[in-house]
């Protein structure tokens, strides 16, 4: 009986996922088709045409980003048991992420900092670590306030390393925290969409942390900011 219940639950999750994906793909496509119609019908001055082209560009980019995130998610899910891991210097990978993020942060007047007591080695893949912390740092910038701060701290906790990504941003109301890592879950859909969010970033983070035998948790205060904590097993070298 419990097998049947489990199977039904899986089927339901799958059909919910398909429904969500369909909706997420349809929204930008509908907008693209609408603006193409507008461009084809009637004379438009150059400024209006340019505006329409810009919207088309943004919507196409949104589709691209969504498809990329779905591919990453499906790769991680299929990787489950046969992950290839190598010793990775966590500090180095996070520094790479912060270097990439710096121009976007600067544009928003946000300062990025890394505080590490020592260098930490973990068994993972450099690309996957960059994806994991890239998503968290990107969110910490996106949902921050102007002139805000993002601080990443690395500290030892027995056989684990704790990576905290802390922001001084808008925060997340408590009632959203239990579902935050679900695919396509968003606190404020319009803000997320407006800034090009796919709603998949945190589910990628959760899957990746799990893949390397770690986990992720979140604490947040509305109006003050959020802290995402990733725990990964240390590789003593
Ligand atoms: P998105 O692409 O929408 O950013 P994510 O899966 O990365 O999707 O995040 C899910 C939702 O969690 C976001 O839409 C946002 O509402 C909320 N969120 C994530 N990170 C933060 C943060 N650092 N501060 C405030 N809200 C956040």
């Amino acid at each position: 009986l419990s097998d049947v219940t489990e199977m039904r639950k899986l089927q339901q999750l799958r059909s919910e996922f398909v429904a969500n994906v369909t909706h997420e793909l349809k929204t930008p496509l509908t907008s693209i088709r609408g603006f193409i119609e507008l461009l084809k019908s009637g004379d438009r001055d150059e400024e209006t045409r340019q505006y329409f082209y810009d919207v088309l560009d943004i919507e196409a980019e949104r589709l691209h980003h969504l498809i990329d995130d779905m591919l990453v998610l499906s790769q991680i899910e299929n990787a489950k048991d046969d992950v290839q891991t190598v010793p990775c210097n966590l500090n180095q990978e996070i520094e790479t992420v912060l270097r990439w993020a710096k121009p976007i942060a600067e544009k928003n007047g946000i300062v990025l900092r890394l505080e590490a007591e020592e260098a930490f080695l973990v068994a993972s893949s450099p690309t996957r670590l960059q994806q994991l912390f890239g998503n968290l740092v990107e969110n910490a910038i996106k949902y921050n306030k102007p002139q805000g701060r993002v601080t990443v701290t690395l500290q030892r906790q027995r056989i684990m390393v704790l990576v905290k990504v802390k922001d001084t941003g808008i925060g997340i109301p408590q009632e959203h925290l239990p579902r935050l890592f679900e695919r396509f879950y968003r606190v404020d859909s319009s803000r997320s969409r407006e800034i090009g969010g796919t709603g998949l970033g945190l589910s990628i983070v959760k899957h990746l942390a799990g893949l390397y035998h770690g986990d992720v948790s979140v604490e947040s205060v509305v109006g003050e900011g959020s802290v995402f904590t990733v725990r990964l097993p240390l590789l003593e070298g």
Side-chain angles (χ1 to χ4, degrees):
L1 190 68
S2 83
D3 272 1
V4 175
T5 322
E6 193 58 27
M7 226 166 76
R8 288 234 176 89
K9 227 169 86 186
L10 277 177
Q11 271 167 357
Q12 194 196 342
L13 277 179
R14 189 165 307 145
S15 68
E16 264 173 33
F17 181 61
V18 172
N20 277 332
V21 169
T22 312
H23 174 76
E24 297 291 333
L25 290 172
K26 258 183 149 166
T27 313
L29 260 184
T30 306
S31 165
I32 287 173
R33 293 179 70 183
F35 277 96
I36 289 177
E37 275 313 307
L38 282 175
L39 274 167
K40 286 196 332 201
S41 66
D43 281 338
R44 309 275 171 195
D45 59 55
E46 188 48 36
E47 200 181 332
T48 313
R49 290 170 68 88
Q50 202 51 55
Y51 169 70
F52 289 172
Y53 289 136
D54 287 345
V55 177
L56 285 174
D57 216 17
I58 291 168
E59 296 295 344
E61 180 60 34
R62 194 186 301 268
L63 273 178
H64 192 128
H65 194 172
L66 182 62
I67 290 166
D68 269 356
D69 272 2
M70 289 201 308
L71 276 177
V72 170
L73 204 53
S74 108
Q75 278 168 1
I76 308 166
E77 280 180 337
N78 293 331
K80 249 176 200 117
D81 296 320
D82 61 359
V83 268
Q84 295 271 344
T85 60
V86 292
C88 299
N89 180 324
L90 189 59
N91 307 47
Q92 236 169 45
E93 301 313 331
I94 293 177
E95 274 165 23
T96 304
V97 166
L98 293 180
R99 217 172 22 249
W100 283 342
K102 205 171 166 203
I104 318 163
E106 275 176 355
K107 226 168 76 184
N108 296 289
I110 291 162
V111 179
L112 307 176
R113 281 189 55 176
L114 175 64
E115 292 171 5
E117 297 164 347
E118 52 185 305
F120 294 100
L121 273 189
V122 295
S124 182
S125 123
T127 319
R128 295 296 185 213
L129 285 178
Q130 288 166 17
Q131 271 166 347
L132 198 170
F133 294 106
N135 273 306
L136 289 179
V137 169
E138 195 188 315
N139 281 349
I141 297 171
K142 278 197 310 197
Y143 301 104
N144 219 313
K145 297 177 190 159
Q147 316 307 321
R149 261 172 296 124
V150 177
T151 313
V152 184
T153 57
L154 274 73
Q155 62 198 89
R156 181 184 288 266
Q157 189 194 52
R158 291 188 296 276
I159 56 164
M160 311 288 273
V161 52
L162 294 194
V163 185
K164 290 182 191 277
V165 181
K166 183 168 184 258
D167 65 62
T168 54
I170 58 174
I172 305 159
Q174 293 300 308
E175 66 266 27
H176 292 283
L177 298 184
R179 299 194 56 194
L180 203 67
F181 295 92
E182 288 177 19
R183 296 153 163 172
F184 297 120
Y185 192 82
R186 295 174 172 107
V187 175
D188 175 352
S189 300
S190 52
R191 173 159 179 161
S192 160
R193 279 177 223 279
E194 204 178 295
I195 51 189
T198 62
L200 290 176
L202 287 181
S203 62
I204 291 176
V205 166
K206 187 176 173 185
H207 262 88
L208 283 175
L211 194 63
Y212 299 110
H213 311 289
D215 54 33
V216 55
S217 57
V218 56
E219 289 163 274
S220 191
V221 179
V222 173
E224 286 186 18
S226 312
V227 186
F228 285 82
T229 305
V230 176
R231 293 194 317 152
L232 292 171
L234 272 172
L235 195 66
E236 300 292 353

